Amino acid sequence: MAQNRYGPGVRMGNWNEDAYLEEELMKDFLEKRDKGKLLIQRRRRLKKNLLRPMQLSITEDGYIHYGDKVMLVNPDDPDVEADMFLGGDLSLCMTPDEIQCHLRDEFEVPCGLSAVQAKTPIGRNTFIISSVHRDATGQVLRYGQDFSLGITGGFENKMLYLSSDHRTLLRSSKRSWLQEVYLTDEVSHMNCWQAAFPDPQLRLEHEGFPVPANAKILINHCHTNRGLAAHRHLFLSTYFGKEAEVVAHTYLDSHRVEKPSNHWMLVTGNPRDASSTMLDLPKPPAEDTRAMEQAMGLDTQ
């Protein structure tokens, strides 16, 4: 009965060429491994930096200062439906292109942004308040003053700035086709933003007043006069999962008041726990509910 007597060690065909090819592939693999250029090494390095725990600045007077490290949070809107919208507090995060990050050691600019259900300060959602025209580190940020928002993404000696520009046929947001918001390493007037009071009837009266920390404000782009907005109903498929789209667009209701999608908070650190934020503190109970109960007729005494 005939038997197959050939095995892997039998030299037939282009065995010499295959042997040299395997040797070259092994040498190339070892060289990339030693230089840290393997795909899995780049992926681990990317996640390590983007998810690196960060410490936010702690405000002593309750206001935001130039040089503070903060999180930009779009507060939860209880009127939205959970199955159609991304609920909860959403923090502004950098969202680099996954393929380009695996091919390069640095972020590709322009870099994308998204809104994420994350309350922990990490490399991809910790921004630095910077002055645009002069060095004003330590000074209080005021309504109507120009400022820029920079982020390092967990890397050292790398700063990207929150920017925007007018919508064109070649540049717009991915889902809504509105004005795009992105991160770039180029310093220009496209990085300039201003804080505004949410109530339009009191906006002029608050011009020049200090911007409070952990309170609702509006963040407007100076060059295009568009407000930073989070689209809870439009989802992006990113390297970290399902996240919401972020654009520069002002949404007004019938009373010409900005909608909750334009509301943001500059969240600072928790003085009791360096690894948490002021959002983690329990809300204080109402100091006196007796007057409200009497006004509603609930107090029978």
Side-chain angles (χ1 to χ4, degrees):
M1 183 176 180
Q3 296 182 359
N4 185 7
R5 299 181 181 275
Y6 293 102
V10 177
R11 297 179 177 181
M12 58 181 298
N14 297 328
W15 62 270
N16 195 29
E17 181 181 351
D18 295 339
Y20 277 111
L21 180 60
E22 291 182 3
E23 184 178 351
E24 289 296 327
L25 290 176
M26 180 58 65
K27 288 182 179 180
D28 183 63
F29 170 79
L30 295 177
E31 182 180 359
K32 288 185 176 180
R33 187 193 63 180
D34 296 338
K35 294 182 179 181
K37 294 184 177 181
L38 293 178
L39 180 60
I40 188 172
Q41 291 175 324
R42 294 177 184 268
R43 185 173 183 176
R44 289 175 179 175
R45 188 162 54 246
L46 173 65
K47 290 189 65 176
K48 179 181 178 181
N49 287 282
L50 290 178
L51 302 180
R52 177 180 298 174
M54 304 291 286
Q55 185 174 353
L56 302 181
S57 300
I58 298 175
T59 176
E60 297 180 355
D61 54 5
Y63 300 116
I64 297 296
H65 303 77
Y66 288 105
D68 285 353
K69 294 182 178 180
V70 299
M71 288 173 53
L72 273 71
V73 175
N74 179 247
D76 184 23
D77 186 7
D79 295 334
V80 301
E81 299 180 9
D83 56 340
M84 300 177 59
F85 294 81
L86 197 62
D89 296 331
L90 303 182
S91 63
L92 184 65
C93 295
M94 67 183 307
T95 309
D97 184 80
E98 181 181 358
I99 298 178
Q100 294 297 329
C101 286
H102 291 162
L103 299 177
R104 302 174 57 183
D105 292 333
E106 297 181 352
F107 294 125
E108 183 189 24
V109 291
C111 180
L113 290 152
S114 60
V116 187
Q117 292 176 326
K119 295 184 179 180
T120 303
I122 53 179
R124 66 183 299 233
N125 66 1
T126 302
F127 289 82
I128 303 175
I129 306 292
S130 303
S131 177
V132 176
H133 306 293
R134 56 186 176 85
D135 185 13
T137 304
Q139 298 183 14
V140 177
L141 175 65
R142 300 179 181 275
Y143 287 113
Q145 285 185 344
D146 299 342
F147 66 94
S148 62
L149 292 164
I151 186 171
T152 62
F155 288 84
E156 297 180 358
N157 302 323
K158 182 69 174 180
M159 182 70 73
L160 301 180
Y161 298 94
L162 182 67
S163 308
S164 186
D165 198 359
H166 289 288
R167 180 184 59 175
T168 63
L169 292 176
L170 300 178
R171 170 172 289 184
S172 62
S173 58
K174 295 181 179 180
R175 295 296 309 278
S176 60
W177 301 99
L178 295 175
Q179 184 172 314
E180 184 184 21
V181 179
Y182 56 91
L183 295 170
T184 180
D185 56 355
E186 180 182 356
V187 179
S188 66
H189 62 283
M190 303 297 181
N191 315 140
C192 185
W193 302 82
Q194 287 184 358
F197 194 73
D199 190 346
Q201 296 183 353
L202 302 176
R203 192 164 297 166
L204 291 178
E205 286 79 354
H206 282 79
E207 196 79 10
F209 277 66
V211 176
N214 311 299
K216 292 181 180 180
I217 62 172
L218 304 177
I219 301 179
N220 298 322
H221 190 237
C222 299
H223 178 63
T224 61
N225 196 28
R226 297 289 190 274
L228 188 66
H231 283 165
R232 294 175 174 266
H233 62 292
L234 297 178
F235 304 129
L236 299 174
S237 179
T238 69
Y239 177 68
F240 297 94
K242 184 176 70 173
E243 300 176 352
E245 183 187 56
V246 178
V247 298
H249 188 80
T250 303
Y251 290 94
L252 301 176
D253 58 14
S254 58
H255 300 286
R256 305 291 297 176
V257 179
E258 285 78 5
K259 293 184 178 181
S261 57
N262 286 119
H263 293 169
W264 296 89
M265 295 189 301
L266 300 178
V267 179
T268 57
N270 182 3
R272 302 177 184 177
D273 186 2
S275 62
S276 61
T277 68
M278 292 297 293
L279 296 177
D280 299 323
L281 290 177
K283 296 182 180 180
E287 296 180 357
D288 186 15
T289 59
R290 185 67 176 273
M292 184 179 297
E293 292 178 354
Q294 291 178 353
M296 298 177 62
L298 300 178
D299 189 3
T300 57
Q301 295 182 357

